[in-house]
Amino acid sequence: MYAIIATGGKQYKVSEGDIIKVEKLDAEAGATVTFDQVIAVSDGTLKVGADVEKASVAATVMEQGRGKKVIVYKYKRKTGYHKKNGHRQAYTQVKIDKINA
């Protein structure tokens, strides 16, 4: 059984027991979060739309962290202009506990 959930502007295909990294959530490590935005659920047959209105996915927060550094380098030729910048995206690692369909 799997579900497709939406959080942080992205969609994730999850099954029970999966560990995924999503955009940062306001929750401490060990807390339980519920994803209510379920797009589809499959248990042999795919259910979408009105069939999954009441569906939800429960997950436990494992850790908060920051991803690898991405280097942003801006350069304009002949003018001596260059700028180097770095960015680390914050994430929340969650473990999927239960799909309530």
Side-chain angles (χ1 to χ4, degrees):
M1 173 182 239
Y2 70 88
I4 299 174
I5 60 171
T7 179
K10 298 178 179 69
Q11 296 177 1
Y12 301 91
K13 179 181 175 184
V14 296
S15 300
E16 290 182 10
D18 284 355
I19 297 174
I20 60 170
K21 291 181 181 178
V22 298
E23 294 293 318
K24 185 166 173 52
L25 302 172
D26 262 348
E28 296 293 320
T32 302
V33 292
T34 304
F35 298 109
D36 294 327
Q37 237 182 348
V38 178
I39 297 169
V41 175
S42 175
D43 54 352
T45 61
L46 187 67
K47 298 177 192 163
V48 294
D51 295 336
V52 292
E53 280 180 357
K54 305 235 185 298
S56 64
V57 175
T60 304
V61 176
M62 296 182 72
E63 70 171 353
Q64 303 280 359
R66 294 173 73 194
K68 291 181 70 172
K69 182 175 276 195
V70 176
I71 302 298
V72 180
Y73 193 77
K74 297 181 178 181
Y75 175 81
K76 294 193 177 174
R77 64 188 186 138
K78 298 181 183 176
T79 61
Y81 172 82
H82 57 91
K83 181 184 268 189
K84 184 178 180 180
N85 200 352
H87 175 75
R88 291 180 69 190
Q89 185 67 33
Y91 68 84
T92 302
Q93 187 171 352
V94 296
K95 181 174 192 253
I96 306 300
D97 295 327
K98 183 144 176 67
I99 299 173
N100 304 313

